[in-house]
Amino acid sequence: KNLDIPRDHTIDGSINLLAEGYTYALDRRQKLQSDIFQTRLLGQPAICMGGKEAAELFYDRERFQRGGAIPKRIQKSLFGEKGVQTLDGQAHAHRKQMFMSLMTPDRLQMIQDIVRQQWQSAAIRWQSTVQLELVDEAQEVMCRAACQWAGVPLREQDVKTIANDLASMVDAFGAIGERYKEGRDARQRTEQWVTELVELIRANRVQVAEQTAAHVISWHRDLDGELLDAKVAAVELINIIRPIVAISYYVVFSAHALHVYPETRQKLVESFENGEATYSQWFVQEVRRLYPFTPILGANVRKEFTWKGYHFPEGTTVLLDVYGTTHDPQLWEEPQQFRPERFADWDGSPFDLIPQGGGDHRHDHRCAGEWLTIDVMRVSLEFLAGHIEYEVPEQDLTIDLSRMPALPASRFIMSHARPKT
Ligand code: HEM
């Protein structure tokens, strides 16, 4: 006999999720003392679950599919339509292979070199400013680096608008009203620009190097042997440059952690001086674990099944509590503490440290850019802790977890940024 999935009696989960933000699912899991609960999303029955076993279940390709699971409003702002996120089965495997082919050791080395050099140029620009907001600066650095690495020509006079548009798409994901509209408009402008670029590349009117994302995606052939529709190619190329700009959130969180946990700065500096990457790797992992970014992920039940006595009817929307899994006290000792050292004895499980999704990079929907993100964060951290000095004036550094995506309220103001002597 099937067990009843504990029920959350609020009227509609979507409203609660948007209002409460990152803690929505973990709060309910704790209140109901269950890693799984049922709710309603836009009137339809839905299941929400979190924790390591739930993550493992969520990535079972036999039981779940992504097709039909991503809300239209997210496709119109954050993701775009008909991109890799919406595919299943062989179509997904083939498209994902295209993304993963961009993540070779050579190409990952290249993005690190580009990012390092972009931070150095930024530091030179900063010499004439007393005060700056790290959010804006990091977005600009990442936008320049993303376009350079991906082979997307970027005119100097467009850097700020493009950086802004790419960031607006990310900023829209948990929004309704004006902030959502900004993200949707930003996507329309960006898709138009990048679709034209794809067409110019195909017409040989713009030359791009062979290993770049712009080249690979423009010339990628689908399982039917056809080039991608130019607009879909644009969506996929934006799936490279937009999330590189999103790494700026993690850069700002890294700066926040350096400031709030100053004892970590000295350990980092020592590790950089010894040319030793272990501690900075732990630091980066801990930033990705502790700081909020992806709240939840969604999929639909492909074929009904029973798990731990609970029935999952076909077609049901199932949410995976990503934030709650990286803050789960059953998985992480004192989960609210920033303790990079905890990674000294982490077993590398694909189902507990899941800020960028779980499972396998090649075969599941797990983030194609996770390795790149970690590398870029490490280089950026080395810049912040090792190459410059700055003051952090009095400001409101609180991070409001009900706002998705979250950032420090003050957007991290730094003053007198200067090369380290
Ligand atoms: C997928 C998070 C950076 C490219 C994802 C997913 C998450 C995520 C949660 C979905 C996993 C799933 O559906 O199971 C993040 C975060 C980032 C980041 C928090 C850093 C701030 C990047 C970067 C790139 C990238 C730098 C590319 C250069 C992708 C792609 C997918 C994806 C192409 C779709 C994969 C698929 O559907 O198979 N990311 N990501 N991401 N990410 Fe990232």
Side-chain angles (χ1 to χ4, degrees), residues 59 66 84-85 92 96 99 239-240 243 246 250 293-294 297 356 365 367 369 373:
Y59 283 96
R66 300 302 176 93
V84 63
Q85 296 94 339
H92 175 257
K96 190 62 176 282
F99 279 98
N239 268 335
I240 293 287
Y250 277 149
F293 207 152
T294 302
L297 289 167
Q356 297 179 233
H365 281 274
C367 178
T373 302

mmCIF file with all atom_site columns, all heavy atoms in Angstrom, residues 59 66 84-85 92 96 99 239-240 243 246 250 293-294 297 356 365 367 369 373, ligand 1:
data_model
loop_
_atom_site.group_PDB
_atom_site.id
_atom_site.type_symbol
_atom_site.label_atom_id
_atom_site.label_alt_id
_atom_site.label_comp_id
_atom_site.label_asym_id
_atom_site.label_entity_id
_atom_site.label_seq_id
_atom_site.pdbx_PDB_ins_code
_atom_site.Cartn_x
_atom_site.Cartn_y
_atom_site.Cartn_z
_atom_site.occupancy
_atom_site.B_iso_or_equiv
_atom_site.pdbx_formal_charge
_atom_site.auth_seq_id
_atom_site.auth_comp_id
_atom_site.auth_asym_id
_atom_site.auth_atom_id
_atom_site.pdbx_PDB_model_num
ATOM   1   N  N   . TYR A 1 59  ? 17.716 12.675 -10.618 1.00 0.00 ? 59  TYR A N   1
ATOM   2   C  CA  . TYR A 1 59  ? 18.570 12.509 -11.806 1.00 0.00 ? 59  TYR A CA  1
ATOM   3   C  C   . TYR A 1 59  ? 18.429 11.136 -12.453 1.00 0.00 ? 59  TYR A C   1
ATOM   4   O  O   . TYR A 1 59  ? 19.257 10.765 -13.286 1.00 0.00 ? 59  TYR A O   1
ATOM   5   C  CB  . TYR A 1 59  ? 20.026 12.861 -11.475 1.00 0.00 ? 59  TYR A CB  1
ATOM   6   C  CG  . TYR A 1 59  ? 20.192 14.363 -11.418 1.00 0.00 ? 59  TYR A CG  1
ATOM   7   C  CD1 . TYR A 1 59  ? 20.127 15.048 -10.219 1.00 0.00 ? 59  TYR A CD1 1
ATOM   8   C  CD2 . TYR A 1 59  ? 20.328 15.100 -12.591 1.00 0.00 ? 59  TYR A CD2 1
ATOM   9   C  CE1 . TYR A 1 59  ? 20.214 16.434 -10.175 1.00 0.00 ? 59  TYR A CE1 1
ATOM   10  C  CE2 . TYR A 1 59  ? 20.413 16.480 -12.563 1.00 0.00 ? 59  TYR A CE2 1
ATOM   11  C  CZ  . TYR A 1 59  ? 20.361 17.139 -11.354 1.00 0.00 ? 59  TYR A CZ  1
ATOM   12  O  OH  . TYR A 1 59  ? 20.434 18.507 -11.332 1.00 0.00 ? 59  TYR A OH  1
ATOM   13  N  N   . ARG A 1 66  ? 12.632 16.469 -18.668 1.00 0.00 ? 66  ARG A N   1
ATOM   14  C  CA  . ARG A 1 66  ? 12.602 17.927 -18.552 1.00 0.00 ? 66  ARG A CA  1
ATOM   15  C  C   . ARG A 1 66  ? 11.586 18.547 -19.487 1.00 0.00 ? 66  ARG A C   1
ATOM   16  O  O   . ARG A 1 66  ? 11.100 19.654 -19.251 1.00 0.00 ? 66  ARG A O   1
ATOM   17  C  CB  . ARG A 1 66  ? 13.994 18.508 -18.821 1.00 0.00 ? 66  ARG A CB  1
ATOM   18  C  CG  . ARG A 1 66  ? 15.075 18.015 -17.870 1.00 0.00 ? 66  ARG A CG  1
ATOM   19  C  CD  . ARG A 1 66  ? 14.701 18.334 -16.430 1.00 0.00 ? 66  ARG A CD  1
ATOM   20  N  NE  . ARG A 1 66  ? 15.682 17.796 -15.501 1.00 0.00 ? 66  ARG A NE  1
ATOM   21  C  CZ  . ARG A 1 66  ? 16.717 18.497 -15.052 1.00 0.00 ? 66  ARG A CZ  1
ATOM   22  N  NH1 . ARG A 1 66  ? 16.917 19.720 -15.463 1.00 0.00 ? 66  ARG A NH1 1
ATOM   23  N  NH2 . ARG A 1 66  ? 17.554 17.955 -14.206 1.00 0.00 ? 66  ARG A NH2 1
ATOM   24  N  N   . VAL A 1 84  ? 19.165 23.409 -24.669 1.00 0.00 ? 84  VAL A N   1
ATOM   25  C  CA  . VAL A 1 84  ? 19.557 22.121 -24.100 1.00 0.00 ? 84  VAL A CA  1
ATOM   26  C  C   . VAL A 1 84  ? 18.777 21.774 -22.828 1.00 0.00 ? 84  VAL A C   1
ATOM   27  O  O   . VAL A 1 84  ? 18.501 20.606 -22.550 1.00 0.00 ? 84  VAL A O   1
ATOM   28  C  CB  . VAL A 1 84  ? 21.083 22.099 -23.859 1.00 0.00 ? 84  VAL A CB  1
ATOM   29  C  CG1 . VAL A 1 84  ? 21.492 23.166 -22.840 1.00 0.00 ? 84  VAL A CG1 1
ATOM   30  C  CG2 . VAL A 1 84  ? 21.581 20.731 -23.436 1.00 0.00 ? 84  VAL A CG2 1
ATOM   31  N  N   . GLN A 1 85  ? 18.405 22.794 -22.071 1.00 0.00 ? 85  GLN A N   1
ATOM   32  C  CA  . GLN A 1 85  ? 17.712 22.547 -20.787 1.00 0.00 ? 85  GLN A CA  1
ATOM   33  C  C   . GLN A 1 85  ? 16.383 21.828 -20.976 1.00 0.00 ? 85  GLN A C   1
ATOM   34  O  O   . GLN A 1 85  ? 15.883 21.194 -20.055 1.00 0.00 ? 85  GLN A O   1
ATOM   35  C  CB  . GLN A 1 85  ? 17.440 23.877 -20.052 1.00 0.00 ? 85  GLN A CB  1
ATOM   36  C  CG  . GLN A 1 85  ? 18.666 24.641 -19.626 1.00 0.00 ? 85  GLN A CG  1
ATOM   37  C  CD  . GLN A 1 85  ? 19.074 25.687 -20.646 1.00 0.00 ? 85  GLN A CD  1
ATOM   38  O  OE1 . GLN A 1 85  ? 18.712 25.613 -21.805 1.00 0.00 ? 85  GLN A OE1 1
ATOM   39  N  NE2 . GLN A 1 85  ? 19.854 26.658 -20.197 1.00 0.00 ? 85  GLN A NE2 1
ATOM   40  N  N   . HIS A 1 92  ? 19.012 15.252 -26.115 1.00 0.00 ? 92  HIS A N   1
ATOM   41  C  CA  . HIS A 1 92  ? 19.776 15.917 -25.060 1.00 0.00 ? 92  HIS A CA  1
ATOM   42  C  C   . HIS A 1 92  ? 21.235 15.465 -25.075 1.00 0.00 ? 92  HIS A C   1
ATOM   43  O  O   . HIS A 1 92  ? 22.151 16.286 -25.030 1.00 0.00 ? 92  HIS A O   1
ATOM   44  C  CB  . HIS A 1 92  ? 19.174 15.666 -23.673 1.00 0.00 ? 92  HIS A CB  1
ATOM   45  C  CG  . HIS A 1 92  ? 20.013 16.239 -22.569 1.00 0.00 ? 92  HIS A CG  1
ATOM   46  N  ND1 . HIS A 1 92  ? 20.820 15.453 -21.774 1.00 0.00 ? 92  HIS A ND1 1
ATOM   47  C  CD2 . HIS A 1 92  ? 20.227 17.521 -22.184 1.00 0.00 ? 92  HIS A CD2 1
ATOM   48  C  CE1 . HIS A 1 92  ? 21.470 16.236 -20.922 1.00 0.00 ? 92  HIS A CE1 1
ATOM   49  N  NE2 . HIS A 1 92  ? 21.121 17.494 -21.150 1.00 0.00 ? 92  HIS A NE2 1
ATOM   50  N  N   . LYS A 1 96  ? 24.231 17.981 -25.518 1.00 0.00 ? 96  LYS A N   1
ATOM   51  C  CA  . LYS A 1 96  ? 25.109 18.151 -24.351 1.00 0.00 ? 96  LYS A CA  1
ATOM   52  C  C   . LYS A 1 96  ? 26.555 17.883 -24.733 1.00 0.00 ? 96  LYS A C   1
ATOM   53  O  O   . LYS A 1 96  ? 27.475 18.558 -24.257 1.00 0.00 ? 96  LYS A O   1
ATOM   54  C  CB  . LYS A 1 96  ? 24.675 17.199 -23.230 1.00 0.00 ? 96  LYS A CB  1
ATOM   55  C  CG  . LYS A 1 96  ? 25.341 17.442 -21.864 1.00 0.00 ? 96  LYS A CG  1
ATOM   56  C  CD  . LYS A 1 96  ? 24.990 18.836 -21.334 1.00 0.00 ? 96  LYS A CD  1
ATOM   57  C  CE  . LYS A 1 96  ? 25.528 19.131 -19.960 1.00 0.00 ? 96  LYS A CE  1
ATOM   58  N  NZ  . LYS A 1 96  ? 24.772 18.536 -18.862 1.00 0.00 ? 96  LYS A NZ  1
ATOM   59  N  N   . PHE A 1 99  ? 28.176 20.944 -25.907 1.00 0.00 ? 99  PHE A N   1
ATOM   60  C  CA  . PHE A 1 99  ? 28.621 21.826 -24.820 1.00 0.00 ? 99  PHE A CA  1
ATOM   61  C  C   . PHE A 1 99  ? 29.894 21.297 -24.163 1.00 0.00 ? 99  PHE A C   1
ATOM   62  O  O   . PHE A 1 99  ? 30.833 22.040 -23.912 1.00 0.00 ? 99  PHE A O   1
ATOM   63  C  CB  . PHE A 1 99  ? 27.509 21.984 -23.774 1.00 0.00 ? 99  PHE A CB  1
ATOM   64  C  CG  . PHE A 1 99  ? 26.469 22.992 -24.150 1.00 0.00 ? 99  PHE A CG  1
ATOM   65  C  CD1 . PHE A 1 99  ? 25.269 22.598 -24.727 1.00 0.00 ? 99  PHE A CD1 1
ATOM   66  C  CD2 . PHE A 1 99  ? 26.695 24.343 -23.958 1.00 0.00 ? 99  PHE A CD2 1
ATOM   67  C  CE1 . PHE A 1 99  ? 24.306 23.530 -25.084 1.00 0.00 ? 99  PHE A CE1 1
ATOM   68  C  CE2 . PHE A 1 99  ? 25.747 25.285 -24.316 1.00 0.00 ? 99  PHE A CE2 1
ATOM   69  C  CZ  . PHE A 1 99  ? 24.545 24.874 -24.879 1.00 0.00 ? 99  PHE A CZ  1
ATOM   70  N  N   . ASN A 1 239 ? 23.603 30.546 -23.855 1.00 0.00 ? 239 ASN A N   1
ATOM   71  C  CA  . ASN A 1 239 ? 23.761 29.606 -22.735 1.00 0.00 ? 239 ASN A CA  1
ATOM   72  C  C   . ASN A 1 239 ? 25.227 29.461 -22.313 1.00 0.00 ? 239 ASN A C   1
ATOM   73  O  O   . ASN A 1 239 ? 25.522 28.814 -21.310 1.00 0.00 ? 239 ASN A O   1
ATOM   74  C  CB  . ASN A 1 239 ? 23.205 28.228 -23.104 1.00 0.00 ? 239 ASN A CB  1
ATOM   75  C  CG  . ASN A 1 239 ? 21.742 28.064 -22.709 1.00 0.00 ? 239 ASN A CG  1
ATOM   76  O  OD1 . ASN A 1 239 ? 21.267 28.742 -21.786 1.00 0.00 ? 239 ASN A OD1 1
ATOM   77  N  ND2 . ASN A 1 239 ? 21.041 27.181 -23.403 1.00 0.00 ? 239 ASN A ND2 1
ATOM   78  N  N   . ILE A 1 240 ? 26.144 30.007 -23.082 1.00 0.00 ? 240 ILE A N   1
ATOM   79  C  CA  . ILE A 1 240 ? 27.553 30.050 -22.694 1.00 0.00 ? 240 ILE A CA  1
ATOM   80  C  C   . ILE A 1 240 ? 27.899 31.408 -22.084 1.00 0.00 ? 240 ILE A C   1
ATOM   81  O  O   . ILE A 1 240 ? 28.474 31.488 -20.991 1.00 0.00 ? 240 ILE A O   1
ATOM   82  C  CB  . ILE A 1 240 ? 28.474 29.789 -23.922 1.00 0.00 ? 240 ILE A CB  1
ATOM   83  C  CG1 . ILE A 1 240 ? 28.314 28.358 -24.435 1.00 0.00 ? 240 ILE A CG1 1
ATOM   84  C  CG2 . ILE A 1 240 ? 29.925 30.116 -23.605 1.00 0.00 ? 240 ILE A CG2 1
ATOM   85  C  CD1 . ILE A 1 240 ? 28.939 27.298 -23.562 1.00 0.00 ? 240 ILE A CD1 1
ATOM   86  N  N   . PRO A 1 243 ? 25.762 32.587 -18.509 1.00 0.00 ? 243 PRO A N   1
ATOM   87  C  CA  . PRO A 1 243 ? 26.200 32.065 -17.203 1.00 0.00 ? 243 PRO A CA  1
ATOM   88  C  C   . PRO A 1 243 ? 27.638 32.421 -16.835 1.00 0.00 ? 243 PRO A C   1
ATOM   89  O  O   . PRO A 1 243 ? 27.964 32.419 -15.653 1.00 0.00 ? 243 PRO A O   1
ATOM   90  C  CB  . PRO A 1 243 ? 26.008 30.555 -17.343 1.00 0.00 ? 243 PRO A CB  1
ATOM   91  C  CG  . PRO A 1 243 ? 25.844 30.267 -18.783 1.00 0.00 ? 243 PRO A CG  1
ATOM   92  C  CD  . PRO A 1 243 ? 25.341 31.510 -19.427 1.00 0.00 ? 243 PRO A CD  1
ATOM   93  N  N   . ALA A 1 246 ? 27.113 35.308 -15.024 1.00 0.00 ? 246 ALA A N   1
ATOM   94  C  CA  . ALA A 1 246 ? 26.516 34.966 -13.721 1.00 0.00 ? 246 ALA A CA  1
ATOM   95  C  C   . ALA A 1 246 ? 27.572 34.586 -12.676 1.00 0.00 ? 246 ALA A C   1
ATOM   96  O  O   . ALA A 1 246 ? 27.318 34.685 -11.474 1.00 0.00 ? 246 ALA A O   1
ATOM   97  C  CB  . ALA A 1 246 ? 25.516 33.821 -13.885 1.00 0.00 ? 246 ALA A CB  1
ATOM   98  N  N   . TYR A 1 250 ? 29.021 34.828 -7.829  1.00 0.00 ? 250 TYR A N   1
ATOM   99  C  CA  . TYR A 1 250 ? 29.915 34.054 -6.955  1.00 0.00 ? 250 TYR A CA  1
ATOM   100 C  C   . TYR A 1 250 ? 31.192 34.824 -6.613  1.00 0.00 ? 250 TYR A C   1
ATOM   101 O  O   . TYR A 1 250 ? 31.777 34.616 -5.560  1.00 0.00 ? 250 TYR A O   1
ATOM   102 C  CB  . TYR A 1 250 ? 30.263 32.718 -7.608  1.00 0.00 ? 250 TYR A CB  1
ATOM   103 C  CG  . TYR A 1 250 ? 29.220 31.633 -7.410  1.00 0.00 ? 250 TYR A CG  1
ATOM   104 C  CD1 . TYR A 1 250 ? 29.020 30.656 -8.379  1.00 0.00 ? 250 TYR A CD1 1
ATOM   105 C  CD2 . TYR A 1 250 ? 28.462 31.552 -6.241  1.00 0.00 ? 250 TYR A CD2 1
ATOM   106 C  CE1 . TYR A 1 250 ? 28.085 29.639 -8.206  1.00 0.00 ? 250 TYR A CE1 1
ATOM   107 C  CE2 . TYR A 1 250 ? 27.524 30.547 -6.060  1.00 0.00 ? 250 TYR A CE2 1
ATOM   108 C  CZ  . TYR A 1 250 ? 27.339 29.596 -7.039  1.00 0.00 ? 250 TYR A CZ  1
ATOM   109 O  OH  . TYR A 1 250 ? 26.415 28.592 -6.858  1.00 0.00 ? 250 TYR A OH  1
ATOM   110 N  N   . PHE A 1 293 ? 22.205 30.574 -4.778  1.00 0.00 ? 293 PHE A N   1
ATOM   111 C  CA  . PHE A 1 293 ? 22.081 30.904 -6.201  1.00 0.00 ? 293 PHE A CA  1
ATOM   112 C  C   . PHE A 1 293 ? 20.887 30.157 -6.799  1.00 0.00 ? 293 PHE A C   1
ATOM   113 O  O   . PHE A 1 293 ? 19.814 30.714 -6.918  1.00 0.00 ? 293 PHE A O   1
ATOM   114 C  CB  . PHE A 1 293 ? 23.376 30.643 -6.970  1.00 0.00 ? 293 PHE A CB  1
ATOM   115 C  CG  . PHE A 1 293 ? 23.501 31.531 -8.183  1.00 0.00 ? 293 PHE A CG  1
ATOM   116 C  CD1 . PHE A 1 293 ? 24.737 31.904 -8.679  1.00 0.00 ? 293 PHE A CD1 1
ATOM   117 C  CD2 . PHE A 1 293 ? 22.379 32.013 -8.821  1.00 0.00 ? 293 PHE A CD2 1
ATOM   118 C  CE1 . PHE A 1 293 ? 24.844 32.746 -9.789  1.00 0.00 ? 293 PHE A CE1 1
ATOM   119 C  CE2 . PHE A 1 293 ? 22.465 32.847 -9.927  1.00 0.00 ? 293 PHE A CE2 1
ATOM   120 C  CZ  . PHE A 1 293 ? 23.702 33.213 -10.412 1.00 0.00 ? 293 PHE A CZ  1
ATOM   121 N  N   . THR A 1 294 ? 21.060 28.881 -7.143  1.00 0.00 ? 294 THR A N   1
ATOM   122 C  CA  . THR A 1 294 ? 19.930 28.123 -7.668  1.00 0.00 ? 294 THR A CA  1
ATOM   123 C  C   . THR A 1 294 ? 19.050 27.689 -6.490  1.00 0.00 ? 294 THR A C   1
ATOM   124 O  O   . THR A 1 294 ? 19.543 27.009 -5.589  1.00 0.00 ? 294 THR A O   1
ATOM   125 C  CB  . THR A 1 294 ? 20.428 26.872 -8.406  1.00 0.00 ? 294 THR A CB  1
ATOM   126 O  OG1 . THR A 1 294 ? 21.315 27.275 -9.451  1.00 0.00 ? 294 THR A OG1 1
ATOM   127 C  CG2 . THR A 1 294 ? 19.273 26.088 -8.996  1.00 0.00 ? 294 THR A CG2 1
ATOM   128 N  N   . LEU A 1 297 ? 15.135 23.031 -8.735  1.00 0.00 ? 297 LEU A N   1
ATOM   129 C  CA  . LEU A 1 297 ? 15.061 22.607 -10.139 1.00 0.00 ? 297 LEU A CA  1
ATOM   130 C  C   . LEU A 1 297 ? 13.768 21.821 -10.309 1.00 0.00 ? 297 LEU A C   1
ATOM   131 O  O   . LEU A 1 297 ? 13.259 21.244 -9.351  1.00 0.00 ? 297 LEU A O   1
ATOM   132 C  CB  . LEU A 1 297 ? 16.261 21.727 -10.487 1.00 0.00 ? 297 LEU A CB  1
ATOM   133 C  CG  . LEU A 1 297 ? 17.606 22.442 -10.585 1.00 0.00 ? 297 LEU A CG  1
ATOM   134 C  CD1 . LEU A 1 297 ? 18.740 21.434 -10.607 1.00 0.00 ? 297 LEU A CD1 1
ATOM   135 C  CD2 . LEU A 1 297 ? 17.651 23.338 -11.823 1.00 0.00 ? 297 LEU A CD2 1
ATOM   136 N  N   . GLN A 1 356 ? 25.075 23.548 -8.767  1.00 0.00 ? 356 GLN A N   1
ATOM   137 C  CA  . GLN A 1 356 ? 24.927 23.635 -10.217 1.00 0.00 ? 356 GLN A CA  1
ATOM   138 C  C   . GLN A 1 356 ? 24.325 22.334 -10.768 1.00 0.00 ? 356 GLN A C   1
ATOM   139 O  O   . GLN A 1 356 ? 24.608 21.926 -11.883 1.00 0.00 ? 356 GLN A O   1
ATOM   140 C  CB  . GLN A 1 356 ? 26.273 23.995 -10.862 1.00 0.00 ? 356 GLN A CB  1
ATOM   141 C  CG  . GLN A 1 356 ? 26.739 25.373 -10.384 1.00 0.00 ? 356 GLN A CG  1
ATOM   142 C  CD  . GLN A 1 356 ? 28.075 25.837 -10.937 1.00 0.00 ? 356 GLN A CD  1
ATOM   143 O  OE1 . GLN A 1 356 ? 28.946 26.203 -10.156 1.00 0.00 ? 356 GLN A OE1 1
ATOM   144 N  NE2 . GLN A 1 356 ? 28.260 25.829 -12.239 1.00 0.00 ? 356 GLN A NE2 1
ATOM   145 N  N   . HIS A 1 365 ? 21.548 16.571 -16.821 1.00 0.00 ? 365 HIS A N   1
ATOM   146 C  CA  . HIS A 1 365 ? 21.455 18.012 -17.078 1.00 0.00 ? 365 HIS A CA  1
ATOM   147 C  C   . HIS A 1 365 ? 22.412 18.823 -16.202 1.00 0.00 ? 365 HIS A C   1
ATOM   148 O  O   . HIS A 1 365 ? 22.393 20.053 -16.262 1.00 0.00 ? 365 HIS A O   1
ATOM   149 C  CB  . HIS A 1 365 ? 20.013 18.486 -16.874 1.00 0.00 ? 365 HIS A CB  1
ATOM   150 C  CG  . HIS A 1 365 ? 19.124 18.163 -18.037 1.00 0.00 ? 365 HIS A CG  1
ATOM   151 N  ND1 . HIS A 1 365 ? 19.009 18.982 -19.134 1.00 0.00 ? 365 HIS A ND1 1
ATOM   152 C  CD2 . HIS A 1 365 ? 18.348 17.084 -18.295 1.00 0.00 ? 365 HIS A CD2 1
ATOM   153 C  CE1 . HIS A 1 365 ? 18.166 18.440 -20.003 1.00 0.00 ? 365 HIS A CE1 1
ATOM   154 N  NE2 . HIS A 1 365 ? 17.756 17.281 -19.515 1.00 0.00 ? 365 HIS A NE2 1
ATOM   155 N  N   . CYS A 1 367 ? 25.112 21.113 -14.724 1.00 0.00 ? 367 CYS A N   1
ATOM   156 C  CA  . CYS A 1 367 ? 25.700 22.282 -15.389 1.00 0.00 ? 367 CYS A CA  1
ATOM   157 C  C   . CYS A 1 367 ? 26.925 21.948 -16.237 1.00 0.00 ? 367 CYS A C   1
ATOM   158 O  O   . CYS A 1 367 ? 27.906 21.400 -15.739 1.00 0.00 ? 367 CYS A O   1
ATOM   159 C  CB  . CYS A 1 367 ? 26.074 23.311 -14.336 1.00 0.00 ? 367 CYS A CB  1
ATOM   160 S  SG  . CYS A 1 367 ? 26.851 24.777 -15.022 1.00 0.00 ? 367 CYS A SG  1
ATOM   161 N  N   . GLY A 1 369 ? 28.924 24.068 -17.340 1.00 0.00 ? 369 GLY A N   1
ATOM   162 C  CA  . GLY A 1 369 ? 29.998 25.020 -17.049 1.00 0.00 ? 369 GLY A CA  1
ATOM   163 C  C   . GLY A 1 369 ? 30.502 24.942 -15.621 1.00 0.00 ? 369 GLY A C   1
ATOM   164 O  O   . GLY A 1 369 ? 31.127 25.881 -15.125 1.00 0.00 ? 369 GLY A O   1
ATOM   165 N  N   . THR A 1 373 ? 33.264 27.319 -14.055 1.00 0.00 ? 373 THR A N   1
ATOM   166 C  CA  . THR A 1 373 ? 32.885 28.208 -12.945 1.00 0.00 ? 373 THR A CA  1
ATOM   167 C  C   . THR A 1 373 ? 33.916 28.125 -11.815 1.00 0.00 ? 373 THR A C   1
ATOM   168 O  O   . THR A 1 373 ? 34.372 29.152 -11.299 1.00 0.00 ? 373 THR A O   1
ATOM   169 C  CB  . THR A 1 373 ? 31.490 27.811 -12.398 1.00 0.00 ? 373 THR A CB  1
ATOM   170 O  OG1 . THR A 1 373 ? 30.549 27.875 -13.470 1.00 0.00 ? 373 THR A OG1 1
ATOM   171 C  CG2 . THR A 1 373 ? 31.057 28.726 -11.272 1.00 0.00 ? 373 THR A CG2 1
HETATM 172 C  C1  . HEM B 2 .   ? 22.817 23.969 -16.320 1.00 0.00 ? 1   HEM B C1  1
HETATM 173 C  C2  . HEM B 2 .   ? 23.870 26.518 -12.355 1.00 0.00 ? 1   HEM B C2  1
HETATM 174 C  C3  . HEM B 2 .   ? 27.577 28.558 -14.672 1.00 0.00 ? 1   HEM B C3  1
HETATM 175 C  C4  . HEM B 2 .   ? 26.245 26.355 -18.753 1.00 0.00 ? 1   HEM B C4  1
HETATM 176 C  C5  . HEM B 2 .   ? 22.842 24.442 -15.024 1.00 0.00 ? 1   HEM B C5  1
HETATM 177 C  C6  . HEM B 2 .   ? 21.944 24.008 -13.998 1.00 0.00 ? 1   HEM B C6  1
HETATM 178 C  C7  . HEM B 2 .   ? 22.233 24.727 -12.897 1.00 0.00 ? 1   HEM B C7  1
HETATM 179 C  C8  . HEM B 2 .   ? 23.325 25.606 -13.213 1.00 0.00 ? 1   HEM B C8  1
HETATM 180 C  C9  . HEM B 2 .   ? 21.536 24.631 -11.551 1.00 0.00 ? 1   HEM B C9  1
HETATM 181 C  C10 . HEM B 2 .   ? 20.800 23.028 -14.179 1.00 0.00 ? 1   HEM B C10 1
HETATM 182 C  C11 . HEM B 2 .   ? 21.121 21.637 -13.735 1.00 0.00 ? 1   HEM B C11 1
HETATM 183 C  C12 . HEM B 2 .   ? 19.953 20.724 -14.013 1.00 0.00 ? 1   HEM B C12 1
HETATM 184 O  O1  . HEM B 2 .   ? 19.015 21.127 -14.704 1.00 0.00 ? 1   HEM B O1  1
HETATM 185 O  O2  . HEM B 2 .   ? 19.953 19.580 -13.557 1.00 0.00 ? 1   HEM B O2  1
HETATM 186 C  C13 . HEM B 2 .   ? 24.932 27.339 -12.663 1.00 0.00 ? 1   HEM B C13 1
HETATM 187 C  C14 . HEM B 2 .   ? 25.501 28.315 -11.766 1.00 0.00 ? 1   HEM B C14 1
HETATM 188 C  C15 . HEM B 2 .   ? 26.554 28.883 -12.424 1.00 0.00 ? 1   HEM B C15 1
HETATM 189 C  C16 . HEM B 2 .   ? 26.623 28.266 -13.736 1.00 0.00 ? 1   HEM B C16 1
HETATM 190 C  C17 . HEM B 2 .   ? 25.009 28.614 -10.367 1.00 0.00 ? 1   HEM B C17 1
HETATM 191 C  C18 . HEM B 2 .   ? 27.513 29.941 -11.963 1.00 0.00 ? 1   HEM B C18 1
HETATM 192 C  C19 . HEM B 2 .   ? 27.130 31.065 -11.492 1.00 0.00 ? 1   HEM B C19 1
HETATM 193 C  C20 . HEM B 2 .   ? 27.584 28.064 -15.949 1.00 0.00 ? 1   HEM B C20 1
HETATM 194 C  C21 . HEM B 2 .   ? 28.580 28.378 -16.933 1.00 0.00 ? 1   HEM B C21 1
HETATM 195 C  C22 . HEM B 2 .   ? 28.199 27.784 -18.104 1.00 0.00 ? 1   HEM B C22 1
HETATM 196 C  C23 . HEM B 2 .   ? 26.971 27.072 -17.827 1.00 0.00 ? 1   HEM B C23 1
HETATM 197 C  C24 . HEM B 2 .   ? 29.798 29.247 -16.683 1.00 0.00 ? 1   HEM B C24 1
HETATM 198 C  C25 . HEM B 2 .   ? 28.855 27.768 -19.444 1.00 0.00 ? 1   HEM B C25 1
HETATM 199 C  C26 . HEM B 2 .   ? 30.005 28.316 -19.754 1.00 0.00 ? 1   HEM B C26 1
HETATM 200 C  C27 . HEM B 2 .   ? 25.178 25.563 -18.450 1.00 0.00 ? 1   HEM B C27 1
HETATM 201 C  C28 . HEM B 2 .   ? 24.450 24.784 -19.442 1.00 0.00 ? 1   HEM B C28 1
HETATM 202 C  C29 . HEM B 2 .   ? 23.454 24.094 -18.732 1.00 0.00 ? 1   HEM B C29 1
HETATM 203 C  C30 . HEM B 2 .   ? 23.598 24.469 -17.338 1.00 0.00 ? 1   HEM B C30 1
HETATM 204 C  C31 . HEM B 2 .   ? 24.710 24.736 -20.934 1.00 0.00 ? 1   HEM B C31 1
HETATM 205 C  C32 . HEM B 2 .   ? 22.394 23.151 -19.302 1.00 0.00 ? 1   HEM B C32 1
HETATM 206 C  C33 . HEM B 2 .   ? 22.864 21.717 -19.126 1.00 0.00 ? 1   HEM B C33 1
HETATM 207 C  C34 . HEM B 2 .   ? 21.846 20.697 -19.547 1.00 0.00 ? 1   HEM B C34 1
HETATM 208 O  O3  . HEM B 2 .   ? 20.639 21.004 -19.584 1.00 0.00 ? 1   HEM B O3  1
HETATM 209 O  O4  . HEM B 2 .   ? 22.263 19.572 -19.860 1.00 0.00 ? 1   HEM B O4  1
HETATM 210 N  N1  . HEM B 2 .   ? 23.690 25.397 -14.521 1.00 0.00 ? 1   HEM B N1  1
HETATM 211 N  N2  . HEM B 2 .   ? 25.620 27.359 -13.822 1.00 0.00 ? 1   HEM B N2  1
HETATM 212 N  N3  . HEM B 2 .   ? 26.635 27.271 -16.514 1.00 0.00 ? 1   HEM B N3  1
HETATM 213 N  N4  . HEM B 2 .   ? 24.635 25.353 -17.205 1.00 0.00 ? 1   HEM B N4  1
HETATM 214 FE FE1 . HEM B 2 .   ? 25.213 26.261 -15.506 1.00 0.00 ? 1   HEM B FE1 1
#
